Amino acid sequence: MAVKIRLARGGAKKRPYYRIVVADVRAPRDGRFIEKIGAYNPMVPKDHPDRLKLDEDRVKYWLSTGAQPTDRVARFLGDLGLAAKPAIPAHTKKNQPKAKAKERVEEKRMAAEAAAEEAAAASAESAAE
């Protein structure tokens, strides 16, 4: 049975609250789980002690039995030193500029190069006189 350590969403609309649970990969996100091992409340400040609560002994146990944390949970565990912290991909397709924005940047670069060439030619002419 493949087991994941993941977030199960709770709370009201626009007021999320997450339980950190160990669940079978086939179970729904907010559905059946094996064990609740913590909670995450993104609505409180980052330095607040109630933002992330974890039962570290149970996390270590489930990691030792082969449970795989999801990316977000792995980042939490990495911050606490319980698991390797995954790297955030620097370049994804979503954060790249679109075609028109790339064209505008290229046009500005070409205009700047042309202006620099004209200024160099003008300074060379004035120096020759």
Side-chain angles (χ1 to χ4, degrees):
M1 170 168 68
V3 177
K4 286 239 184 229
I5 301 174
R6 64 185 183 198
L7 298 174
R9 191 181 193 281
K13 182 167 56 168
K14 309 240 183 213
R15 305 279 304 162
Y17 184 84
Y18 298 93
R19 292 175 302 186
I20 300 172
V21 298
V22 178
D24 188 336
V25 296
R26 298 170 293 184
R29 179 193 72 182
D30 301 335
R32 187 174 176 162
F33 60 88
I34 299 168
E35 181 179 359
K36 178 184 171 191
I37 58 174
Y40 170 60
N41 186 357
M43 300 303 289
V44 298
K46 290 189 181 217
D47 57 349
H48 198 277
D50 289 338
R51 185 172 172 96
L52 179 66
K53 297 177 193 171
L54 273 176
D55 185 353
E56 293 185 16
D57 294 334
R58 296 307 293 168
V59 170
K60 290 176 186 174
Y61 166 77
W62 282 107
L63 289 173
S64 69
T65 59
Q68 294 295 314
T70 58
D71 289 338
R72 176 57 54 188
V73 173
R75 293 197 65 73
F76 293 152
L77 299 179
D79 290 340
L80 297 174
L82 297 174
K85 190 172 185 177
I88 296 175
H91 299 290
T92 61
K93 191 172 182 179
K94 285 186 176 182
N95 69 1
Q96 297 301 312
K98 305 294 186 262
K100 290 215 175 205
K102 286 181 182 178
E103 288 174 13
R104 285 192 294 270
V105 169
E106 185 63 23
E107 288 172 5
K108 283 184 182 180
R109 187 184 64 78
M110 296 294 279
E113 286 179 3
E117 288 176 9
E118 289 177 17
S123 64
E125 285 180 19
S126 65
E129 293 177 0

